[in-house]
Amino acid sequence: MTFSEDHEEQQALFDEQPFKKRKKKYKGSKPQNKKRSKAKASIAEIIPIRDMTDDGAFQLQEDERYMDMMQLQSKDIYSPSMDETEYDIMMMAKFFQSYAADIKIVSMNFPVDMQRQLDAVDRRIKKNTSPLYERFLFRKREELGFLEQHRTNREFYLFIYASSLKQLTEYRNNCQRYLGRVAPLLPLTEEKKIDLLYKLYNQNSKLEKRG
């Protein structure tokens, strides 16, 4: 056997080896179609809220728990003195140490409500008899309408959770007692709570003015 023939035979064996491995690897194997997870039938199965109770709380679907929300009254953090700021930090730390139940603080932008100011301007327009003052009132009304359409307020909300309505009332009172001096908690109407949940689950949507 010549050198060239020996070289060709070794090259053939070398080229054949990967083919055999490849053949062994895929022999008898077929791609299996994975089953897709079943889509939820309705949005009610996705949102964890089942119903609203008579006192304005929400019954959750998981473990028969309950939830309520209150608004945290915001405050200026730049003008207070150093002693006041340290006191607020101490009270907040004390609250988080003593309150062991589940809570969640949510910040969200809401449209500016200028309806009271607009109603006041409309009353003055009806009673006005001066053409010069009337132009000023109409300009003021346009400014208020622009703020209501294009400006938002950053608002903060406290979500609290409990295993029963009685426990939820107790947690609500504890939060109001501990946070009263730092960030007073304001009750929310049922309409505002529904708007808050709608905005929470539709964050790209814009709330339209109701009524």
Side-chain angles (χ1 to χ4, degrees):
M1 180 181 296
T2 62
F3 174 77
S4 59
E5 292 176 351
D6 183 43
H7 178 72
E8 290 177 359
E9 184 178 354
Q10 292 180 0
Q11 184 66 32
L13 291 174
F14 179 79
D15 294 340
E16 189 176 329
Q17 189 67 22
F19 176 76
K20 290 182 178 179
K21 288 184 177 180
R22 199 180 305 120
K23 196 173 181 181
K24 183 178 179 182
K25 181 178 180 181
Y26 292 99
K27 185 177 180 180
S29 62
K30 295 182 179 180
Q32 297 180 356
N33 296 328
K34 294 183 178 180
K35 294 183 179 180
R36 295 183 178 180
S37 58
K38 187 177 180 181
K40 300 294 185 180
S42 64
I43 190 65
E45 298 183 21
I46 301 175
I47 298 178
I49 297 174
R50 176 180 298 178
D51 196 7
M52 177 180 278
T53 63
D54 295 335
D55 60 348
F58 293 96
Q59 183 181 4
L60 304 180
Q61 298 194 39
E62 182 181 0
D63 300 332
E64 298 292 335
R65 300 184 71 196
Y66 294 87
M67 177 192 73
D68 199 6
M69 57 192 75
M70 294 174 286
Q71 183 172 355
L72 287 162
Q73 184 174 344
S74 57
K75 61 190 301 185
D76 186 5
I77 62 174
Y78 297 103
S79 59
S81 64
M82 185 62 68
D83 293 337
E84 293 175 333
T85 302
E86 291 179 355
Y87 175 79
D88 291 345
I89 295 174
M90 181 186 65
M91 293 300 295
M92 288 295 295
K94 184 178 180 180
F95 167 72
F96 287 119
Q97 290 175 355
S98 59
Y99 192 85
D102 295 335
I103 58 171
K104 180 168 60 176
I105 297 178
V106 177
S107 62
M108 196 170 297
N109 292 335
F110 270 86
V112 177
D113 187 9
M114 307 298 296
Q115 191 59 47
R116 293 178 57 186
Q117 292 84 343
L118 288 170
D119 292 340
V121 173
D122 288 338
R123 288 194 296 268
R124 293 195 176 187
I125 290 176
K126 292 180 180 180
K127 297 179 181 180
N128 178 59
T129 57
S130 172
L132 183 62
Y133 189 54
E134 185 179 14
R135 290 194 305 175
F136 168 77
L137 290 174
F138 276 108
R139 190 183 307 115
K140 188 65 176 178
R141 198 183 194 289
E142 291 178 359
E143 293 175 357
L144 294 174
F146 178 84
L147 292 175
E148 190 172 48
Q149 290 293 327
H150 302 283
R151 296 294 178 88
T152 58
N153 284 334
R154 175 61 62 89
E155 299 177 356
F156 298 87
Y157 302 93
L158 180 68
F159 287 61
I160 59 176
Y161 303 87
S163 57
S164 64
L165 289 175
K166 181 179 179 181
Q167 191 180 58
L168 189 68
T169 302
E170 179 183 351
Y171 288 167
R172 190 188 297 116
N173 295 334
N174 290 340
C175 291
Q176 291 175 343
R177 182 170 62 254
Y178 284 114
L179 295 176
R181 296 183 180 181
V182 181
L185 293 172
L186 306 177
L188 298 175
T189 63
E190 293 184 2
E191 182 181 5
K192 185 60 179 287
K193 292 180 181 180
I194 295 175
D195 286 342
L196 179 58
L197 291 175
Y198 176 83
K199 183 67 176 176
L200 184 63
Y201 290 105
N202 302 273
Q203 298 187 14
N204 292 328
S205 63
K206 182 178 180 181
L207 288 174
E208 300 293 338
K209 191 168 69 172
R210 295 172 178 261

